[in-house]
């Protein structure tokens, strides 16, 4: 592994340069044309076989070793978010209202740097590495499902991926076998009342008042209808009923999210929201429109592959601790890949120890310690080489026998 680690140390500055370039020129989900072209050109320069427009804006690059063996897929997403950046970094986004506020620029830089180093080790590779660059992770239906339908996992034996975590300490690797991330769903509700003058509320069906009651009622679904030993979230994230100061609006709209780990709870909440909406509107003689959109499935890591990566990570330079992390309610369409092939998705800490405040993902001041790129690349690279050499069992069995 010394050659891998030294090679990654040597390209670290280039990885940082790539990350900053991508950060400065972000593109929204399903609009990542320039980013995809940048990725494809990088791999083509390395001499890799490249497929573009995979399932949309996805890019696949293939590195075939000189010796036969299994196929390992490594995934990095590359879309940004509709957020106005508020950092003061010199590589701040030049695209108004668009920002890499989730670390996907870092994911891509990590994978490109690793691709360059593994390319230089081609003669030693026993098998194939697929660099899976995915578009549109942030916006359902996401890019994973369409890339799978377009053959991105054809012939793949295992898949690995990581997410840079801005609130997790640098040097920490977080893993978990089984459910790691929740199923993220969306709901849209429109309350249809009767507008009127603010001085005569008795002549109206006040959509704003009904909406306020509904907000409270919806919070009783989890607190009073779901077993407290289970995990579920119902959050209204936007409530809108704009108009003049003296006019009661005839309609109010709200959108929100549901997060669950079990399909039966997911279905129950989907139906229960409508029951609560219907009952709340009935009291005030109002009507409603309700739409529920199912997002990604629960991300479920495979046991042996997770233990494999966790054990290998312990001896990677820069890794100070490897912890079993609790599940989180955030969603991730890497879940689709794990439904098709074995693999694991882990977290790489990216919080600078000198920062007093580490802003969370999707925050306009989000940032990462770029040294996390190197750590992530080394863990992914070591997992790739070890898997191509002997699969997961040798590491897992030696670990369990201790």
């Amino acid at each position: 592994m010394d050659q891998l680690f030294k090679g990654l140390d040597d390209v670290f500055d280039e990885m940082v340069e790539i990350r900053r370039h991508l950060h400065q020129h972000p593109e929204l989900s399903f609009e990542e044309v320039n980013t995809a072209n940048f990725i494809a050109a990088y791999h083509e320069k390395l001499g890799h076989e490249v497929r573009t427009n995979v399932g949309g804006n996805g890019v696949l690059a293939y590195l075939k070793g000189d010796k036969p063996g299994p196929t390992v897929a490594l995934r990095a997403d590359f879309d940004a978010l509709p957020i106005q950046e508020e950092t003061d970094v010199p590589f701040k986004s030049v695209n108004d209202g668009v920002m890499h506020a989730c670390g996907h620029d870092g994911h891509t830089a990590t994978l490109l740097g690793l691709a360059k180093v593994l390319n230089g080790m081609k003669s030693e590779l026993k098998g194939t590495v697929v660099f899976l660059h995915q578009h549109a992770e942030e916006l359902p239906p996401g890019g994973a499902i369409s890339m799978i339908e377009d053959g991105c996992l054809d012939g793949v034996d295992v898949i690995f991926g990581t997410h840079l975590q801005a609130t997790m300490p640098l040097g920490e690797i977080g893993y978990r076998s089984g459910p790691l991330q929740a199923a993220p769903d969306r709901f849209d509700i429109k309350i249809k009342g009767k507008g009127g003058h603010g001085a005569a509320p008795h002549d109206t069906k006040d959509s704003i008042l009904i909406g306020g009651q509904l907000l409270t009622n919806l919070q009783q679904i989890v607190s009073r209808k779901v077993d407290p030993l289970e995990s579920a979230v119902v959050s209204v994230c936007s409530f809108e009923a704009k108009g003049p100061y003296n006019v009661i609006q005839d309609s109010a709209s709200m959108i929100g999210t549901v997060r669950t780990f079990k399909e039966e709870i997911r279905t129950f909440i989907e139906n229960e929201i409508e029951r609560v909406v219907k009952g709340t509107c009935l009291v005030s003689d109002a009507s409603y429109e309700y739409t529920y959109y199912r997002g990604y499935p629960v991300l479920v890591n495979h046991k042996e592959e997770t233990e494999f990566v966790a054990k290998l990570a312990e001896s990677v330079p820069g890794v100070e601790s490897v912890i079993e992390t609790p599940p989180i309610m955030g969603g991730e369409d890497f879940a689709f890949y794990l439904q098709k092939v074995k693999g694991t998705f882990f977290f790489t800490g990216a919080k600078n120890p000198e920062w007093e405040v580490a802003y969370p993902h999707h925050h306009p001041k989000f940032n990462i310690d770029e040294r996390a790129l190197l750590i992530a690349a080394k863990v992914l690279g070591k997992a790739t080489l070890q898997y191509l050499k002997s699969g997961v069992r040798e590491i897992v069995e030696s670990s369990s026998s201790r």
Side-chain angles (χ1 to χ4, degrees):
M1 296 295 170
D2 290 344
Q3 183 181 353
L4 171 72
F5 296 152
K6 183 181 184 304
L8 289 170
D9 288 336
D10 291 342
V11 302
F12 174 59
D13 288 344
E14 183 179 356
M15 290 163 57
V16 170
E17 183 180 341
I18 292 171
R19 182 255 167 169
R20 294 183 178 187
H21 168 79
L22 296 175
H23 189 92
Q24 197 167 20
H25 302 90
E27 294 178 299
L28 294 173
S29 304
F30 299 106
E31 300 176 13
E32 319 94 332
V33 176
N34 293 329
T35 307
N37 289 339
F38 177 91
I39 293 168
Y42 190 93
H43 281 287
E44 288 168 353
K45 187 175 180 180
L46 292 175
H48 295 162
E49 177 187 340
V50 177
R51 280 188 61 198
T52 57
N53 304 119
V54 182
N57 291 326
V59 179
L60 294 178
Y62 299 87
L63 171 59
K64 296 181 180 180
D66 289 348
K67 303 172 185 178
T71 298
V72 176
L74 303 175
R75 179 271 209 163
D77 40 16
F78 58 80
D79 55 326
L81 287 156
I83 293 174
Q84 182 65 42
E85 184 164 5
E86 296 179 5
T87 69
D88 58 0
V89 296
F91 49 92
K92 183 176 181 179
S93 171
V94 298
N95 296 336
D96 191 48
V98 186
M99 177 191 177
H100 270 295
C102 203
H104 296 186
D105 50 346
H107 300 167
T108 302
T110 294
L111 202 55
L112 292 178
L114 179 57
K116 185 172 186 177
V117 174
L118 290 178
N119 180 273
M121 303 173 65
K122 182 179 178 181
S123 62
E124 302 175 31
L125 295 183
K126 298 179 179 179
T128 300
V129 183
V130 180
F131 301 98
L132 199 166
H133 294 274
Q134 184 205 307
H135 63 298
E137 188 279 328
E138 295 287 1
L139 185 64
I145 190 67
S146 61
M147 290 190 71
I148 291 170
E149 292 169 352
D150 202 5
C152 74
L153 294 180
D154 290 355
V156 170
D157 296 292
V158 70
I159 186 167
F160 300 122
T162 190
H163 203 297
L164 302 175
Q165 296 293 94
T167 56
M168 178 182 286
L170 180 72
E172 191 167 277
I173 296 294
Y175 73 94
R176 185 175 189 82
S177 178
L180 174 66
Q181 296 194 231
D185 298 337
R186 167 183 171 167
F187 60 84
D188 289 21
I189 299 168
K190 183 176 183 179
I191 300 164
K192 302 164 73 174
K194 177 185 175 184
H197 201 291
H202 60 288
D203 290 330
T204 72
K205 298 175 183 179
D206 190 341
S207 63
I208 298 175
L209 177 61
I210 298 168
Q213 294 169 336
L214 178 57
L215 281 172
T216 301
N217 294 341
L218 287 174
Q219 295 311 305
Q220 296 181 45
I221 294 177
V222 173
S223 67
R224 291 298 179 270
K225 296 288 187 177
V226 176
D227 187 331
L229 297 180
E230 301 289 354
S231 298
V233 168
V234 176
S235 293
V236 174
C237 299
S238 177
F239 183 2
E240 187 172 289
K242 291 183 178 180
Y245 83 98
N246 59 349
V247 176
I248 293 174
Q249 300 304 298
D250 60 2
S251 67
S253 298
M254 58 182 69
I255 57 177
T257 187
V258 173
R259 306 296 171 111
T260 54
F261 281 100
K262 292 186 176 179
E263 194 64 26
E264 60 269 28
I265 295 177
R266 188 183 198 182
T267 299
F268 168 76
I269 291 179
E270 177 182 354
N271 295 330
E272 187 68 5
I273 289 176
E274 181 163 25
R275 191 187 71 82
V276 172
V277 173
K278 181 177 181 180
T280 305
C281 288
L282 182 64
V283 171
S284 299
D285 192 28
S287 58
Y288 68 91
E289 294 176 0
Y290 169 64
T291 308
Y292 193 93
Y293 305 91
R294 293 207 166 203
Y296 312 144
V298 177
L299 189 153
V300 182
N301 280 327
H302 294 261
K303 185 176 186 296
E304 286 193 340
E305 287 68 25
T306 301
E307 293 175 355
F308 169 76
V309 169
K311 185 60 185 175
L312 289 178
E314 293 176 358
S315 56
V316 168
V319 173
E320 297 178 1
S321 62
V322 179
I323 65 166
E324 184 173 6
T325 185
I328 66 172
M329 303 309 286
E332 166 63 66
D333 73 349
F334 193 90
F336 285 118
Y337 303 122
L338 295 175
Q339 289 184 334
K340 301 295 183 180
V341 298
K342 291 185 176 182
T344 194
F345 190 72
F346 62 94
F347 298 143
T348 300
K351 176 186 176 183
N352 187 308
E354 297 181 0
W355 290 347
E356 292 185 7
V357 178
Y359 293 98
H361 297 252
H362 296 211
H363 191 283
K365 292 185 178 181
F366 170 88
N367 202 356
I368 57 172
D369 187 320
E370 292 171 326
R371 290 175 290 179
L373 278 62
L374 185 57
I375 295 172
K378 288 182 177 180
V379 176
L380 288 171
K382 185 174 181 180
T384 300
L385 293 180
Q386 185 64 47
Y387 188 92
L388 292 178
K389 177 183 176 183
S390 58
V392 301
R393 291 195 176 276
E394 178 181 321
I395 299 297
V396 172
E397 290 175 359
S398 66
S399 176
S400 61
S401 65
R402 294 175 183 169

